[in-house]
Amino acid sequence: MKTVSRVINNDPTVKPKNLEKVQQAIAKTGYRRNAFARGLRARQSLMIGLLYEQAEGEYPANILAGALAACRERGYHLMVEVVKGDSMLNSARDFLLQMNFDGVILTPPVCDNPDVIGFLNENDIRYVRISPLNSLPLGHEIGIDDEQAGHALVEHLITLGHRKIAHILGDEGHRATIQRLAGYRRAHDEAGLSFPEGYVVGGGFSSEAGFEGARKLLALDDPPTAIFASNDECAAGVLACAQAYGVRVPDELSVVGFDGSIIADLVHPTLTTMVQPTQAMAAEAVRMIVDARESTERKTLPIEMRVSKSTAACRT
Amino acid sequence: MKTVSRVINNDPTVKPKNLEKVQQAIAKTGYRRNAFARGLRARQSLMIGLLYEQAEGEYPANILAGALAACRERGYHLMVEVVKGDSMLNSARDFLLQMNFDGVILTPPVCDNPDVIGFLNENDIRYVRISPLNSLPLGHEIGIDDEQAGHALVEHLITLGHRKIAHILGDEGHRATIQRLAGYRRAHDEAGLSFPEGYVVGGGFSSEAGFEGARKLLALDDPPTAIFASNDECAAGVLACAQAYGVRVPDELSVVGFDGSIIADLVHPTLTTMVQPTQAMAAEAVRMIVDARESTERKTLPIEMRVSKSTAACRT
DNA sequence: CTGAAAGCGCTTACAG
DNA sequence: CTGAAAGCGCTTACAG
């Protein structure tokens, strides 16, 4: 009785009686459809590929967790692969041609590799780019509004009475770096505030960059009363520097981070930060692949500020 | 010419001339073997399953990274799945029966679920348990020697002149918790030192537990000069507590963590810690699955102490 | 509404 | 050393 296939695939044209009989037999024998046979014959593989350049760290882990949860709900499976080296494409090609994924999720910086994108377009493989540097005409994209986020953080500091707010930039060339700075600028403009050139210092997304940036800022003749760090790690470096130089946070200096990472709650004082919905982004990517109606979809996910103990009213 | 299969599979009985011809054709057309067809027909699937209960966090991310790197070297692919709920087995069964993995990697606490282990044994699926609570007669196991690690950390503190060393325990019921305590005890015994009952406090693997534990310890009539925290997060909580109570680290209090996690370098002062070879453990698990000669293999990986700024010579 | 046949792209014995 | 056939376990049209 090869009606079994129909039952498994929820074919509505099966007599209720037979349906029940088959379902019972399945339950009894513990039968599970072989994914390889199905993947070979059917159009859909029920598999999604997740491409990283680097799998270590909190960000990739959250992407993974979000994607896994979303796959689970839909009966999809997730295969992860690291692509790197001088040619990301060579590294990815094997993976992509061997499995016929229903779609792949590209995390930064893989999502910005033109070779990989071109290959996916040519081979008509569906993909979602997470937090890409630039928007492209084809393919799905998911991100947050970094400009708005930067604006909100600085606005929070202004509301607390701060007038001397500095910014430590993120890694060069990142869209997030440029946009967060733009938000910083707009918040100043809207409040009718200006800031000296020396208040925006180069840095990066690391605690070392934060330490070094804070060192420069605190050594200024007219030091800031608040620092908007590029991200939470950077902010942790700012805290370490403040402590090393005897500057009390938040009494003498307010600090804000970005990302809402675990470390924001582990440092002392705990950081005010902008929570990125990393897991939600990955879940949304899965949804786009599975449900995709259009061939190109862009989505900006909402962010949320988490106010904690590293920011306080300005006392000077 | 169906010699192609032989070429791909490195069959030595192929004429060099034909071999070359086929290889060139492959290079030219960009042909890749279909993984589903292969998986369906062949004994090996070239796929390894990785089972988590939770995918968020640094530990799972490191497991993933280590496993991916090892898979990559061997042409294997990794499929990740979250199993949870009241019955882990129900959650895992689908996954395990649908794909015929060459083996699965079980992370804590999945590796300690008797139902899952029993199922794997029954269905003759190869598996490796990472840092299991207890050793079992069947299956592969990988871990570290927590007793030795705890011993080494406490010995380090004793060498620095500390005589009043406290310990904040990890989560209850964990083998690591029990063994690290045993190491703490042995180091005291060997040095001819004793410690009051109040020096070993309940806690857990969280920064909250560290804060709370430190609060109790610092409030003692005869407070310790050094604290061995259950792990780095716990140690971060200890640092936060010390700072809150105005106890300077390491001048007045030395603190050691465990794990060698990122946060050890983000807190201030940076933590002396015991580096767990998490990625190496996962890589070793892949190796065991792929190369496995025996059906049961146990391996204990070496650990390494990383001395940093949270420990100093005792000044009292 | 259900069954029998063909075929997805490989590998595995078996002939030659 | 190489080719032709069978079959892995499904799904997809096509008959009935």
Side-chain angles (χ1 to χ4, degrees):
Chain A
M1 206 191 290
K2 296 287 170 75
T3 318
V4 174
S5 181
R6 289 186 239 268
V7 173
I8 293 168
N9 293 299
N10 296 316
D11 190 321
T13 72
V14 178
K15 259 194 192 155
K17 202 177 167 185
N18 286 331
L19 192 149
E20 202 177 323
K21 226 196 295 187
V22 173
Q23 281 174 335
Q24 282 186 3
I26 289 176
K28 198 172 165 188
T29 49
Y31 165 87
R32 305 291 142 132
R33 164 173 63 194
N34 181 302
F36 291 90
R38 185 190 195 284
L40 179 58
R41 191 63 177 86
R43 292 273 170 81
Q44 302 182 84
S45 63
L46 298 183
M47 286 194 195
I48 292 176
L50 174 57
L51 270 64
Y52 285 125
E53 185 186 52
Q54 199 185 325
E56 300 99 322
E58 191 180 344
Y59 181 80
N62 279 329
I63 291 284
L64 178 70
L68 281 174
C71 282
R72 208 161 178 271
E73 284 174 8
R74 293 169 173 79
Y76 271 70
H77 292 299
L78 194 71
M79 190 163 273
V80 185
E81 191 90 354
V82 171
V83 298
K84 56 182 169 188
D86 24 312
S87 168
M88 269 189 190
L89 178 53
N90 277 339
S91 184
R93 202 196 310 259
D94 277 33
F95 187 52
L96 295 173
L97 290 180
Q98 280 183 40
M99 317 283 154
N100 59 329
F101 291 114
D102 290 350
V104 294
I105 300 173
L106 308 177
T107 58
V110 183
C111 60
D112 301 306
N113 185 293
D115 297 338
V116 173
I117 303 297
F119 177 81
L120 291 168
N121 285 334
E122 278 168 33
N123 291 70
D124 210 34
I125 300 171
R126 180 173 291 176
Y127 59 91
V128 181
R129 304 194 303 142
I130 293 193
S131 295
L133 289 185
N134 301 301
S135 199
L136 293 177
L138 264 52
H140 302 286
E141 295 168 7
I142 295 175
I144 61 162
D145 187 337
D146 282 286
E147 198 274 344
Q148 187 206 319
H151 177 270
L153 284 168
V154 175
E155 199 176 42
H156 168 66
L157 293 169
I158 292 174
T159 304
L160 287 170
H162 292 277
R163 295 292 173 270
K164 298 191 279 185
I165 304 167
H167 180 40
I168 301 175
L169 296 163
D171 286 345
E172 251 179 280
H174 279 235
R175 198 203 46 160
T177 298
I178 298 161
Q179 299 219 331
R180 288 173 198 174
L181 173 61
Y184 168 85
R185 284 226 160 85
R186 181 161 65 88
H188 277 84
D189 289 349
E190 288 178 9
L193 292 173
S194 63
F195 53 87
E197 238 179 64
Y199 271 23
V200 175
V201 297
F205 291 126
S206 70
S207 91
E208 290 76 21
F211 195 100
E212 189 51 32
R215 212 182 47 71
K216 278 186 207 151
L217 292 169
L218 296 175
L220 291 174
D221 290 340
D222 188 22
T225 64
I227 295 178
F228 166 23
S230 63
N231 70 358
D232 290 337
E233 302 214 358
C234 178
V238 172
L239 292 185
C241 180
Q243 197 170 338
Y245 284 80
V247 176
R248 283 170 303 146
V249 176
D251 301 359
E252 300 171 88
L253 180 72
S254 281
V255 179
V256 300
F258 204 109
D259 280 352
S261 69
I262 298 170
I263 67 155
D265 283 332
L266 287 173
V267 291
H268 190 82
T270 53
L271 288 171
T272 290
T273 185
M274 187 61 70
V275 182
Q276 277 216 59
T278 315
Q279 295 198 31
M281 292 202 274
E284 183 62 25
V286 169
R287 193 200 60 71
M288 279 182 174
I289 288 171
V290 176
D291 302 344
R293 309 147 294 206
E294 325 277 327
S295 71
T296 298
E297 208 174 334
R298 285 170 221 311
K299 189 139 185 178
T300 299
L301 260 51
I303 48 187
E304 198 184 328
M305 185 160 62
R306 190 168 72 207
V307 177
S308 195
K309 300 185 179 159
S310 66
T311 48
C314 182
R315 305 201 180 169
T316 52
Chain B
M1 208 191 290
K2 296 285 170 76
T3 318
V4 174
S5 182
R6 287 188 239 269
V7 173
I8 294 169
N9 293 300
N10 297 315
D11 190 321
T13 72
V14 177
K15 259 194 193 156
K17 202 177 167 184
N18 287 332
L19 192 148
E20 202 179 323
K21 225 194 298 187
V22 173
Q23 280 175 337
Q24 280 185 3
I26 288 175
K28 199 172 164 187
T29 49
Y31 165 87
R32 305 292 142 131
R33 163 173 65 194
N34 181 301
F36 292 90
R38 183 187 197 285
L40 179 59
R41 190 64 177 85
R43 292 274 170 82
Q44 301 183 85
S45 63
L46 297 183
M47 286 195 196
I48 292 175
L50 174 57
L51 271 64
Y52 286 125
E53 185 185 52
Q54 199 186 326
E56 299 100 322
E58 189 179 344
Y59 181 79
N62 280 328
I63 293 283
L64 179 70
L68 282 173
C71 282
R72 208 162 178 270
E73 285 174 7
R74 294 170 173 78
Y76 271 70
H77 292 299
L78 194 71
M79 189 163 274
V80 186
E81 192 90 355
V82 170
V83 298
K84 56 182 169 188
D86 24 312
S87 168
M88 269 190 189
L89 177 54
N90 276 340
S91 184
R93 201 197 311 259
D94 277 34
F95 187 53
L96 295 172
L97 290 180
Q98 279 183 40
M99 318 282 153
N100 57 329
F101 292 113
D102 290 351
V104 293
I105 300 173
L106 307 176
T107 58
V110 183
C111 61
D112 302 306
N113 186 292
D115 298 338
V116 172
I117 303 296
F119 177 81
L120 292 168
N121 285 333
E122 277 169 32
N123 291 71
D124 210 34
I125 299 171
R126 180 173 290 177
Y127 60 90
V128 181
R129 305 195 302 142
I130 293 193
S131 295
L133 290 186
N134 300 300
S135 199
L136 293 177
L138 265 52
H140 301 287
E141 295 168 6
I142 296 176
I144 61 162
D145 187 336
D146 282 287
E147 198 273 345
Q148 188 205 320
H151 178 270
L153 284 168
V154 175
E155 198 175 43
H156 167 68
L157 293 168
I158 292 174
T159 305
L160 286 170
H162 292 278
R163 293 294 172 268
K164 298 190 279 186
I165 303 167
H167 180 40
I168 300 175
L169 296 163
D171 286 345
E172 249 179 280
H174 279 235
R175 199 203 46 160
T177 299
I178 298 162
Q179 299 220 329
R180 288 172 198 175
L181 173 62
Y184 168 85
R185 284 225 160 85
R186 181 162 63 89
H188 277 83
D189 289 349
E190 287 180 8
L193 291 173
S194 62
F195 54 88
E197 239 180 62
Y199 271 23
V200 175
V201 298
F205 292 126
S206 69
S207 90
E208 290 75 20
F211 195 99
E212 189 52 32
R215 211 182 47 72
K216 278 185 209 154
L217 291 170
L218 296 175
L220 291 174
D221 290 339
D222 189 22
T225 64
I227 295 177
F228 166 23
S230 63
N231 70 358
D232 291 337
E233 302 214 358
C234 179
V238 172
L239 292 185
C241 181
Q243 198 170 338
Y245 285 80
V247 176
R248 284 170 302 145
V249 176
D251 301 359
E252 301 171 90
L253 181 72
S254 282
V255 179
V256 301
F258 204 107
D259 281 352
S261 69
I262 298 170
I263 68 154
D265 283 331
L266 287 173
V267 291
H268 189 82
T270 53
L271 287 170
T272 291
T273 185
M274 188 61 71
V275 182
Q276 277 216 59
T278 314
Q279 295 198 30
M281 290 201 276
E284 182 63 23
V286 170
R287 191 200 61 71
M288 279 182 174
I289 288 171
V290 176
D291 302 344
R293 308 147 294 205
E294 325 278 326
S295 71
T296 298
E297 209 174 335
R298 285 168 221 311
K299 189 139 184 177
T300 299
L301 261 51
I303 47 186
E304 197 183 328
M305 185 161 61
R306 190 167 72 207
V307 176
S308 194
K309 299 185 180 158
S310 66
T311 50
C314 183
R315 304 200 180 170
T316 51

